[in-house]
Amino acid sequence: AQSVAQPEDQVNVAEGNPLTVKCTYSVSGNPYLFWYVQYPNRGLQFLLKYITGDNLVKGSYGFEAEFNKSQTSFHLKKPSALVSDSALYFCAVRDPSNQGGKLIFGQGTELSVKP
Amino acid sequence: DAGVTQSPTHLIKTRGQHVTLRCSPISGHKSVSWYQQVLGQGPQFIFQYYEKEERGRGNFPDRFSARQFPNYSSELNVNALLLGDSALYLCASSLMIRQGGFEKLFFGSGTQLSVL
């Protein structure tokens, strides 16, 4: 069965420091991987996706993610964190057996960036 | 352009009642998906509709049903509400679906359902 794990419930970073939010996946076949962000009282917003190609994917708001097939990981990164990056981050994998919108989400990681 | 809109934003019901949640996708988007997000967890897939046909169903009981209308808007219905149905219900739209399904989803802000 397809699954996604986010091993950290919370990540604390000082503003200006690099940040990493971890994600590992288990999927049969080629993985389609996504990162979404959720701000309080808001829906999820797309950050980036990996389908194929370059293992380093660049996305919105300066975020990037590195796909590592051997470690089955897709960690989200940003070189310099902003206070406004504080939010709930979800890693997700597309269920390859489903043709369209079924995403399998991790449990989420709360990112807190302090001034 | 308007994003995905959901109504109502908040809803309070009692056990055993029925609820209908509504979603309007982004103009031109033909696919709508529904997700349930319980506090402290990631969203769980409930349904996907494309061109008014059900294309996917998650592991939810038959009390949950949905439909898509000719204008591509959608309704999610939940019968015989239980306390455990309390959650944020998210609707997401995408332009189309393709084999492999790698379109990004655009989410609405959700309907917060509280069952007392």
Side-chain angles (χ1 to χ4, degrees):
Chain A
Q2 339 297 336
S3 66
V4 174
Q6 294 180 242
E8 300 156 317
D9 290 335
Q10 185 159 13
V11 171
N12 298 308
V13 178
E15 187 175 31
N17 283 0
L19 69 88
T20 298
V21 183
K22 296 179 180 177
C23 171
T24 59
Y25 66 90
S26 174
V27 63
S28 56
N30 295 322
Y32 296 155
L33 297 159
F34 301 77
W35 276 101
Y36 283 81
V37 60
Q38 187 175 34
Y39 297 99
N41 302 314
R42 300 282 297 277
L44 279 70
Q45 296 178 30
F46 172 83
L47 280 179
L48 49 81
K49 66 181 178 183
Y50 171 82
I51 305 299
T52 187
D54 194 350
N55 289 342
L56 186 63
V57 179
K58 294 190 181 297
S60 307
Y61 313 121
F63 284 94
E64 57 190 27
E66 186 171 9
F67 171 70
N68 188 317
K69 187 172 183 178
S70 63
Q71 297 184 6
T72 61
S73 67
F74 189 55
H75 299 333
L76 181 70
K77 301 182 179 184
K78 188 173 183 181
S80 179
L82 301 172
V83 173
S84 58
D85 292 330
S86 298
L88 189 56
Y89 289 81
F90 290 98
C91 181
V93 63
R94 179 81 77 195
D95 183 343
S97 68
N98 183 273
Q99 194 175 12
K102 182 178 181 180
L103 287 175
I104 298 168
F105 286 89
Q107 70 272 29
T109 298
E110 184 83 40
L111 173 66
S112 177
V113 182
K114 300 295 186 185
Chain B
D1 286 340
V4 177
T5 57
Q6 293 187 242
S7 63
T9 54
H10 295 82
L11 202 53
I12 299 175
K13 293 285 189 178
T14 57
R15 283 178 296 175
Q17 285 189 311
H18 162 271
V19 68
T20 297
L21 311 181
R22 296 178 174 83
C23 172
S24 293
I26 292 172
S27 178
H29 284 195
K30 298 182 178 181
S31 175
V32 169
S33 301
W34 287 95
Y35 287 80
Q36 180 196 65
Q37 185 179 12
V38 173
L39 189 63
Q41 298 181 19
Q44 298 274 323
F45 174 77
I46 310 176
F47 286 110
Q48 190 212 8
Y49 277 78
Y50 178 67
E51 288 282 18
K52 293 155 287 192
E53 292 187 2
E54 182 183 303
R55 294 301 186 97
R57 173 185 286 255
N59 188 23
F60 280 81
D62 292 342
R63 299 185 294 108
F64 288 77
S65 63
R67 55 180 175 169
Q68 187 177 33
F69 299 98
N71 66 353
Y72 303 110
S73 67
S74 177
E75 283 183 355
L76 175 70
N77 295 283
V78 187
N79 293 322
L81 285 167
L82 303 174
L83 296 179
D85 295 331
S86 296
L88 180 67
Y89 288 85
L90 296 166
C91 173
S93 75
S94 60
L95 190 59
M96 63 173 63
I97 57 175
R98 308 180 205 183
Q99 189 61 41
F102 48 81
E103 282 72 32
K104 69 181 183 182
L105 300 181
F106 294 82
F107 284 84
S109 297
T111 294
Q112 184 66 54
L113 172 65
S114 298
V115 182
L116 305 179

